[in-house]
Amino acid sequence: MRSDNAKSGMQQAPARSLFRALGLTDEELGRPLIGVVSSYNEIVPGHMNLDKIVEAVKQGVAMAGGTPIVFPAIAVCDGIAMGHIGMKYSLVTRDLIADSTECMALAHQFDGLVMVPNCDKNVPGLLMAAARLNIPTVFVSGGPMLAGRINGQKKSLSSMFEAVGAYTAGTMTEAEVEDFADRVCPTCGSCSGMYTANSMNCLTEVLGMGLKGNGTIPAVYSERIRLAKHAGMAVMEMVEKNICPRDIMTEAAFRNALTMDMALGCSTNSMLHLPAIAHEAGVELNVDLANEISAKTPNLCHLAPAGPTYMEDLNEAGGIYAVMNEISKLGLLNLDCMTVTGKTVGENIKGCENRNPEVIRTVGNPYSSTGGIAVLRGNLAPDSCVVKRSAVVPEMLQHEGPARVFDSEEEAIDAIKGGRIVAGDVVVIRYEGPKGGPGMREMLNPTSAIAGMGLGASVALITDGRFSGASRGASIGHVCPEAAAGGPIGLVQEGDIIAIDINANTINMKVSDEELAKRRENWVPKKKEVSGYLKRYADQVTSADKGAVLKGN
């Protein structure tokens, strides 16, 4: 056992004295030591129930003959951090989570790990750590929130942000907005649409790192507790068989993840996280692969914000395995990939029935014949940018209009709420990328304000920042190179005509090469004065098309 390095032999007698100080018996020390990585805290609604999940995992590990030992991981609530300096500290935690988990796991020589994440950067951060450490690891999340109920209709956090835009437009009263705030997030759990947290938890199932139901069983269901116990049991079987993350997270597994990303209509943030996780697993995942896969993968699900269904509906319809089984009919999945169950993908999804073809469309009746995410290129984004195509209304799949240019999210929000953005405009928000932000803030506030003010079918938004999975509309992010790195988005001027063709995967400003060269002659990218961790992050981070991984990792 790996843990023998820390507990066995005369040399480690001092360590045994410290293990005994923890109250561990010789019987417990004789078993595999399993680290249970707990992301529990009291500030993130998706994490407030993780203490119960962790206790269930511990029971499962102990029942299967292991010794569970808990240590923590941090997590930021993107919804609470949204719209102020706090959002600069969201993406950057992904690397802190991976690094600190690596430190704890190797310093204490655990034989296996059970990761207990839930929300946005916590899941990919722990997946990165799992790939880097390559010791037997199982994931079990805290589960999604139930949808809110308002006037007989299901609602979620994206509705809440759009309600603020509706209030600004004068179509909702303050009392109505507060009524939304009371009822739109009714339980613990990750917010109830196909936002980033749920996207990544679902893709953890697809990658083979989580058990069936990990992405969809609601947080408040007792089934989630049973799942956690089974996760604790599963890691013991993995330790016995020496099944490790890199045996599971292969190139074929990441192709499966991209395929299911398209079928499910996941958050565009998956296009940041999957390359970063793949990088840690020694797999190169080029973002252009997304268009190749999207071209042959139908979009089968329209969960909020793309449509009126929620995670609880997807769970009742059969969950991720049912969607995978449906997609497998087209021969688009590698069914031989190994998973944490010790079985292949094909074995896992066999017989998983689609119980509701309105929630999970059949391959013969998809929402669209192509996938939910598109990667665009052009003179505005030579190295790519990303859009959640499944959440764009048909009339905005092609759009041309004048640029309204802002050097920060705050400036753009002031203009939108001040009524200075009109139908046809293309809002450009720059200096919000990984380096320029720094931290690549999500732009849920401006996209929600645009939607809430009734401009979602007539205004596009382009940024070198990123979007929450709760954003909808022609919201195009991850523009690379970013402005702070000398990207041409920094050369856009007020009134330049921007041409977007999502179907053709192009995005261009109608400005000649000669004019752009002239603008570049005297242009110096802006640099924000930051300190502490943000300064170190800005100095080390790479571009979004590379997953915004840190140099040297």
Side-chain angles (χ1 to χ4, degrees):
M1 290 187 290
R2 181 191 309 270
S3 59
D4 286 341
N5 294 327
K7 67 188 183 186
S8 297
M10 184 54 64
Q11 181 71 24
Q12 293 309 116
R16 286 197 295 280
S17 73
L18 294 169
F19 279 120
R20 287 166 182 159
L22 291 169
L24 294 178
T25 66
D26 288 345
E27 290 81 3
E28 288 173 303
L29 289 177
R31 300 169 181 169
L33 300 186
I34 305 300
V36 182
V37 187
S38 171
S39 306
Y40 169 78
N41 64 44
E42 295 182 342
I43 188 64
V44 185
H47 290 230
M48 63 184 284
N49 65 319
L50 295 190
D51 54 342
K52 294 179 176 60
I53 303 297
V54 165
E55 285 304 313
V57 168
K58 290 172 65 179
Q59 290 178 45
V61 169
M63 283 190 287
T67 299
I69 301 175
V70 178
F71 65 87
I74 64 170
V76 164
C77 178
D78 279 24
I80 293 174
M82 196 74 65
H84 54 86
I85 191 174
M87 183 44 68
K88 294 179 184 288
Y89 286 91
S90 173
L91 179 61
V92 303
T93 65
R94 190 184 69 180
D95 295 275
L96 284 175
I97 291 162
D99 292 349
S100 60
T101 302
E102 173 194 355
C103 292
M104 291 293 288
L106 293 183
H108 302 101
Q109 292 292 285
F110 288 106
D111 297 298
L113 297 170
V114 181
M115 307 293 200
V116 187
N118 209 25
C119 289
D120 292 14
K121 310 311 165 294
N122 195 244
V123 183
L126 290 178
L127 281 165
M128 288 166 67
R132 187 186 302 176
L133 290 163
N134 201 36
I135 63 177
T137 303
V138 176
F139 276 69
V140 57
S141 75
M145 184 184 291
L146 294 179
R149 266 71 171 178
I150 299 175
N151 299 327
Q153 294 184 322
K154 290 183 179 180
K155 298 290 182 181
S156 61
L157 185 66
S158 53
S159 307
M160 187 69 247
F161 277 89
E162 290 177 15
V164 176
Y167 171 77
T168 302
T171 57
M172 282 186 75
T173 66
E174 182 176 353
E176 288 172 327
V177 172
E178 287 304 316
D179 183 53
F180 261 61
D182 281 341
R183 295 194 281 163
V184 83
C185 294
T187 70
C188 62
S190 47
C191 296
S192 55
M194 188 56 83
Y195 310 147
T196 305
N198 292 326
S199 294
M200 294 310 302
N201 281 320
C202 290
L203 294 178
T204 299
E205 275 192 66
V206 179
L207 282 169
M209 292 298 294
L211 300 177
K212 179 184 178 183
N214 182 58
T216 60
I217 298 169
V220 295
Y221 284 13
S222 296
E223 186 182 358
R224 174 71 50 182
I225 300 295
R226 298 197 298 272
L227 179 74
K229 291 176 183 177
H230 283 126
M233 297 176 198
V235 77
M236 294 305 298
E237 187 173 343
M238 292 180 71
V239 169
E240 182 181 343
K241 295 179 178 178
N242 195 32
I243 299 172
C244 296
R246 292 193 188 185
D247 301 323
I248 295 168
M249 290 193 282
T250 61
E251 182 178 355
F254 282 104
R255 280 182 167 268
N256 282 351
L258 276 175
T259 299
M260 290 303 298
D261 193 330
M262 300 302 164
L264 290 164
C266 291
S267 164
T268 51
N269 280 314
S270 62
M271 298 305 297
L272 269 181
H273 300 320
L274 286 175
I277 299 160
H279 179 75
E280 295 287 357
V283 175
E284 184 177 347
L285 197 65
N286 191 302
V287 293
D288 287 320
L289 188 59
N291 285 343
E292 174 192 324
I293 290 175
S294 179
K296 55 189 177 185
T297 306
N299 177 227
L300 304 185
C301 299
H302 263 195
L303 282 80
T309 53
Y310 296 83
M311 295 306 296
E312 62 202 69
D313 302 312
L314 180 57
N315 186 63
E316 290 167 13
I320 302 307
Y321 278 16
V323 187
M324 293 177 75
N325 197 33
E326 190 68 39
I327 284 292
S328 71
K329 295 173 184 177
L330 298 176
L332 297 178
L333 294 178
N334 186 317
L335 302 181
D336 296 325
C337 293
M338 178 54 62
T339 73
V340 293
T341 65
K343 299 177 181 178
T344 65
V345 168
E347 290 173 310
N348 284 345
I349 68 174
K350 185 178 180 180
C352 291
E353 178 188 354
N354 177 1
R355 304 190 196 105
N356 189 340
E358 292 302 312
V359 175
I360 304 171
R361 291 280 186 95
T362 65
V363 292
N365 181 37
Y367 282 101
S368 66
S369 60
T370 54
I373 289 177
V375 173
L376 316 182
R377 288 181 186 267
N379 67 357
L380 184 57
D383 291 345
S384 77
C385 57
V386 179
V387 62
K388 187 172 182 175
R389 175 165 42 197
S390 60
V392 180
V393 294
E395 54 266 41
M396 288 298 290
L397 291 172
Q398 292 179 302
H399 180 76
E400 194 170 298
R404 306 298 309 281
V405 183
F406 306 96
D407 287 344
S408 72
E409 177 189 10
E410 288 83 358
E411 291 176 21
I413 290 172
D414 285 345
I416 295 165
K417 292 187 174 180
R420 300 196 300 277
I421 302 300
V422 299
D425 284 348
V426 178
V427 176
V428 177
I429 306 177
R430 59 196 182 190
Y431 295 104
E432 291 286 6
K435 183 180 294 292
M440 203 178 186
R441 287 194 288 181
E442 288 185 344
M443 302 290 148
L444 180 55
N445 274 336
T447 59
S448 297
I450 287 169
M453 295 176 73
L455 296 171
S458 59
V459 169
L461 194 153
I462 300 169
T463 180
D464 52 10
R466 60 195 178 90
F467 295 107
S468 164
S471 290
R472 62 186 175 97
S475 303
I476 300 166
H478 308 194
V479 169
C480 294
E482 61 177 291
I489 189 174
L491 302 176
V492 180
Q493 294 182 1
E494 189 81 6
D496 285 348
I497 300 300
I498 308 294
I500 301 161
D501 191 335
I502 294 173
N503 290 328
N505 303 114
T506 61
I507 182 166
N508 289 288
M509 48 179 158
K510 291 192 166 182
V511 178
S512 68
D513 292 344
E514 293 75 17
E515 172 61 21
L516 289 176
K518 184 178 178 182
R519 291 181 188 180
R520 189 175 287 279
E521 285 177 6
N522 299 312
W523 175 62
V524 177
K526 293 182 178 181
K527 187 174 182 180
K528 296 174 184 173
E529 293 299 321
V530 291
S531 60
Y533 182 57
L534 286 183
K535 184 178 188 307
R536 281 180 282 145
Y537 184 85
D539 289 343
Q540 296 178 34
V541 72
T542 60
S543 62
D545 63 309
K546 302 293 190 294
V549 298
L550 300 185
K551 295 173 186 174
N553 277 358

